Amino acid sequence: MTTSVVVTGLGATTPLGGDVASTWTAALAGAASARTWDAPWAQEWIEQRQLPVHFGCQLATAAAEVLTKVEQRRLDPSGQYALIAAREAWAHAGFGQGNGDESGPVVDPDRLGVVIGSGIGGLWTTLEAWDTLQSKGPRRVFPLTVPMLMPNGPAAAVSLALSARAGTHTPVSACSTGAEAIAAAADMIRSGRADVVVAGGTEAAIHPLTISAFAAMQALSTRNDDPAVASRPYDTTRDGFVLGEGGAVVVLESAAHAAARGATVHAEVMGVGITSDAHHIAAPEPSGTGAARAMTFALDAAGLSAADLHHINAHATSTPVGDVAEAAAIRLALGSATDAVAVSGTKSMTGHLLGAAGALESIFTILAVRERTAPPTINIDELDPAVDLDVVVKSPRPIGSGGDRVFGLNNSFGFGGHNVAVLFGSPA
């Protein structure tokens, strides 16, 4: 008998809000988070060094407002965002504050796991340590540089905070990382390795280097004069994605473990599909075959048909090629059932959180099926005729009918040809 995996906790720090509640409220309101960079480094790089893109989606609540000075000093920003999101998710699940307190039900540490990934890792730590080495010499390099820059640093920090000993893992699959982490966490529970797993993604890659590199690939929008409307998935005038940052984490449990402690269930992880394109290091396979297979696998694993699906939170980055390829993949996977599925592109509001995107958009999908409401896609003035989907435009939309369960799919695709689809159902 297959073990049912449920979602009992949600946590996030995003460009729309410092927690899940504020982020979801802003998303339903169709808020835009993109703005001109206001970080200390920005003015010099924009005015003197000709940075090609002047804007993005920065955190709504700075990590410094949440963490202690010691935590800030010992963690790369990517680790900071993961810890903030994990603590919220842990508390939301009813386990305590995740800071050494003993409140809430006790979880056997040997049955508690962590799966948190990052697409890029400790970028700020790496580059700042290099600057220190060059300007001040080897003896001035911070002793914790390696733990801070290593890709598994965020997962390790969360596992230490929660005393998780069932296994701590760090998937790295570019922009599908956060979704793949949730998939791996569900597998840990279904295989019997853990009762509870804290899973998600984090990214702190807003840096002149990544901005310049993505711009050199012509991947970023260059609407410097109007950042708020720059992220416009599926619009005919889209010209690239908008870089974002943040962390998003969920608490997964076996249904039996959750029931035994009387936990509130927000959704069920119904099925997962993972494939790869083997087509191009950055561009999607244009027919959408690989992405469609991932969606089909997720439906099959859930024991559902395309006709059972109500909602898709699409990868929808706002790139000219990627949006059309995903639209083709959705229609290939769902066939005629596509017309009855409400599709949301929430990157229009959050920007692209890279390794954290799949985790945040999983949270949006969980909330959509729980609240029976699909969030909007903003900034669409003219829908691209090549995107033959029922896109939720400008305002949220009710999904599902009567008392039947609602099912939603989160699509996450990444450089390297990674395709991950995670299917969630409203509480049974």
Side-chain angles (χ1 to χ4, degrees):
M1 182 177 178
T2 302
T3 300
S4 294
V5 177
V6 296
V7 182
T8 57
L10 305 172
T13 180
T14 79
L16 288 176
D19 56 19
V20 169
S22 58
T23 296
W24 181 241
T25 297
L28 292 182
S33 63
R35 64 185 190 275
T36 302
W37 306 123
D38 58 10
W41 50 263
Q43 186 172 358
E44 176 191 355
W45 279 94
I46 292 172
E47 296 182 359
Q48 300 178 27
R49 303 200 185 189
Q50 299 181 328
L51 194 68
V53 175
H54 304 171
F55 64 94
C57 297
Q58 303 166 90
L59 285 186
T61 302
E65 296 181 30
V66 182
L67 300 176
T68 68
K69 290 183 179 180
V70 172
E71 289 168 336
Q72 295 170 54
R73 180 66 174 130
R74 291 173 174 265
L75 294 172
D76 179 82
S78 62
Q80 295 174 27
Y81 304 165
L83 185 60
I84 292 168
R87 282 177 173 165
E88 182 191 0
W90 193 246
H92 188 230
F95 287 123
Q97 300 303 310
N99 56 4
D101 70 308
E102 300 298 328
S103 62
V106 175
V107 180
D108 180 356
D110 292 340
R111 303 287 299 167
L112 172 61
V114 173
V115 187
I116 294 177
S118 172
I120 293 178
L123 176 71
W124 275 95
T125 294
T126 301
L127 297 178
E128 287 181 351
W130 176 245
D131 289 343
T132 298
L133 176 64
Q134 289 187 301
S135 63
K136 298 179 181 179
R139 294 181 182 275
R140 297 296 297 276
V141 174
F142 187 51
L144 294 180
T145 294
V146 171
M148 291 168 65
L149 66 82
M150 62 191 190
N152 63 310
V158 172
S159 71
L160 286 166
L162 304 181
S163 298
R165 296 200 292 260
T168 298
H169 305 284
T170 302
V172 179
S173 51
C175 306
S176 60
T177 295
E180 188 162 343
I182 293 172
D187 282 346
M188 282 185 73
I189 295 171
R190 290 190 175 116
S191 70
R193 288 181 55 205
D195 297 318
V196 181
V197 183
V198 178
T202 186
E203 205 74 87
I206 294 178
H207 186 282
L209 175 61
T210 46
I211 295 166
S212 299
F214 279 127
M217 296 177 70
Q218 298 184 326
L220 292 182
S221 171
T222 56
R223 293 175 183 264
N224 292 319
D225 58 336
D226 200 356
V229 303
S231 187
R232 45 199 309 111
Y234 301 139
D235 188 80
T236 54
T237 63
R238 66 191 183 278
D239 67 331
F241 73 82
V242 176
L243 187 59
E245 62 180 355
V249 169
V250 299
V251 174
L252 303 185
E253 293 185 58
S254 69
H257 189 276
R261 69 181 188 88
T264 298
V265 172
H266 304 285
E268 181 180 356
V269 182
M270 305 292 296
V272 172
I274 299 178
T275 67
S276 52
D277 284 345
H279 169 72
H280 188 275
I281 194 61
E285 198 283 315
S287 73
T289 302
R293 286 172 53 235
M295 289 181 251
T296 300
F297 289 161
L299 285 164
D300 289 347
L304 299 174
S305 70
D308 295 315
L309 194 63
H310 300 90
H311 172 57
I312 292 178
N313 189 298
H315 190 59
T317 61
S318 189
T319 59
V321 174
D323 287 4
V324 171
E326 182 179 14
I330 291 171
R331 188 154 288 278
L332 186 61
L334 305 185
S336 60
T338 305
D339 298 332
V341 176
V343 178
S344 299
T346 50
K347 288 185 181 72
S348 59
M349 297 175 284
T350 66
H352 194 346
L353 273 62
L354 306 181
L360 176 58
E361 288 155 24
S362 287
I363 289 177
F364 283 147
T365 309
I366 290 162
L367 292 171
V369 299
R370 189 191 76 180
E371 302 298 323
R372 309 174 78 89
T373 303
T377 310
I378 65 171
N379 298 329
I380 295 180
D381 295 323
E382 182 181 357
L383 186 69
D384 187 336
V387 177
D388 189 14
L389 304 172
D390 182 13
V391 181
V392 181
V393 179
K394 300 186 187 301
S395 300
R397 182 194 302 174
I399 53 176
S401 60
D404 294 339
R405 294 186 74 184
V406 177
F407 301 104
L409 189 69
N410 172 43
N411 281 342
S412 295
F413 311 129
F415 281 4
H418 302 276
N419 305 308
V420 180
V422 185
L423 198 155
F424 299 94
S426 57

